[in-house]
Amino acid sequence: MGSSLPILLSFVALSKPILWAKPHSMVSWGADVVLWCQGLPGVDMYRLERLDSPGDYQDQPGLPGPEARARFPLGSALANIAGRYRCSYRNGSYWSQPSNQLELVVTGLYDKPSFSIVPGTEVSSGESVTFSCSSEFGFNMFTIAKEGRAGIWKTQEGASPVHFRIPAVTTSHKGTYQCYGFDSHFPYLWTAPSDPLELRVKGNPQTLSPSESNTPAVPGAPTSPHISPEKVDIPIGPTSQDYTVSNLIRLILAGLVVVSLGGLLAEAWQAWRVKFHTLSGPPFQAQGPTAP
């Protein structure tokens, strides 16, 4: 029974942590960047891995108290910090599942591209609109970001200039846009953003589809440059659901400990009884009167 606790605990999977960047996961050249990893209270250690460099990782001890997070300062945003990251945490000899991947993009390595909207920045609902992005550096990838969206709106491969066409705009397309250029061999090193352009759409409000609905702007919201916004699965920080799962795991662990300790006590009590009877011999029996 003494070895049953590690066996039982090995079947309890530690929930994966949450990884996010401050101020954003898309940062300007030279800005200070900090990655945060959110796990469970009281864990021993957090680990941040850079997936583009095998064996490149940092370890931080878990903070005491209810913080349940670790801070990984990366310093100034330069070319050497751009890339893919994930984190995990250790409790005793057990590691959690890794977090969702975070893509850290550094912008501003090259001059801003040119950006235009045809036929113009004010159109009617149902009209065809084309966004054009071009750069003198000959990039083969271009991206358009929409303000207030937790993710990149569209990314397209092609020679400059690249055109992003919307056959029939709706009021859900209105907003402010910027474009970036980059090379596919260096997907996390982007140009400076273009001058912003605001698209105004006249007409009755349209029902928003899941792929076109705007995500509320959240300070520090992480973005994923190569995944469409509706598929981004990187939470911004701890949520009530995260704490519910964490509490459930802690309750399960506590229950396993109680059950295992109960078994150990029962086993010890049984061993003590056997030992006591062995040492004391057969029970005393009173003898009857001697026959005359």
Side-chain angles (χ1 to χ4, degrees):
M1 183 67 185
S3 62
S4 63
L5 180 57
I7 294 175
L8 289 171
L9 290 178
S10 65
F11 289 100
V12 180
L14 298 175
S15 60
K16 66 182 179 182
I18 300 166
L19 180 64
W20 73 98
K22 290 286 186 178
H24 298 278
S25 61
M26 188 166 68
V27 293
S28 300
W29 180 275
D32 287 334
V33 182
V34 176
L35 299 188
W36 287 90
C37 184
Q38 175 83 43
L40 295 175
V43 302
D44 298 329
M45 187 182 74
Y46 289 86
R47 173 166 292 181
L48 177 70
E49 301 174 81
R50 185 174 177 186
L51 301 180
D52 305 283
S53 301
D56 185 0
Y57 64 87
Q58 300 180 40
D59 289 338
Q60 292 280 7
L63 298 177
E67 283 295 319
R69 64 179 64 179
R71 181 177 183 270
F72 293 92
L74 300 185
S76 297
L78 302 176
N80 64 324
I81 73 165
R84 299 174 300 133
Y85 293 84
R86 71 179 183 184
C87 74
S88 54
Y89 61 89
R90 191 187 71 194
N91 215 1
S93 58
Y94 300 98
W95 283 94
S96 71
Q97 303 174 60
S99 68
N100 287 348
Q101 178 179 293
L102 181 143
E103 295 178 311
L104 184 62
V105 172
V106 176
T107 67
L109 279 77
Y110 304 92
D111 290 341
K112 62 186 179 183
S114 299
F115 187 39
S116 62
I117 300 178
V118 178
T121 57
E122 185 168 339
V123 295
S124 298
S125 181
E127 192 173 348
S128 174
V129 168
T130 299
F131 296 85
S132 294
C133 190
S134 62
S135 172
E136 61 182 5
F137 295 103
F139 296 116
N140 65 340
M141 299 292 293
F142 291 87
T143 284
I144 294 182
K146 184 178 181 183
E147 186 178 286
R149 227 180 152 80
I152 298 305
W153 184 58
K154 287 184 182 295
T155 298
Q156 187 168 308
E157 183 175 4
S160 177
V162 167
H163 305 294
F164 300 81
R165 183 172 178 270
I166 305 175
V169 296
T170 68
T171 53
S172 67
H173 291 105
K174 67 181 180 180
T176 300
Y177 296 83
Q178 290 177 292
C179 81
Y180 302 81
F182 62 95
D183 190 286
S184 58
H185 293 95
F186 304 97
Y188 306 108
L189 300 176
W190 292 12
T191 66
S194 69
D195 291 333
L197 291 177
E198 182 183 0
L199 179 66
R200 297 182 293 274
V201 181
K202 298 178 293 183
N204 295 326
Q206 303 289 324
T207 302
L208 305 185
S209 66
S211 61
E212 296 296 344
S213 60
N214 286 342
T215 303
V218 180
T223 59
S224 185
H226 307 300
I227 306 175
S228 59
E230 63 270 18
K231 295 182 180 179
V232 173
D233 186 25
I234 307 178
I236 294 166
T239 64
S240 57
Q241 183 179 3
D242 299 322
Y243 284 120
T244 300
V245 173
S246 301
N247 291 335
L248 178 59
I249 291 175
R250 288 196 293 273
L251 288 174
I252 293 173
L253 291 174
L256 291 173
V257 170
V258 170
V259 170
S260 300
L261 289 177
L264 291 173
L265 289 175
E267 184 179 342
W269 169 250
Q270 183 65 27
W272 180 84
R273 290 185 58 190
V274 173
K275 182 177 180 181
F276 175 79
H277 287 301
T278 301
L279 294 176
S280 60
F284 174 77
Q285 295 181 353
Q287 294 183 356
T290 303

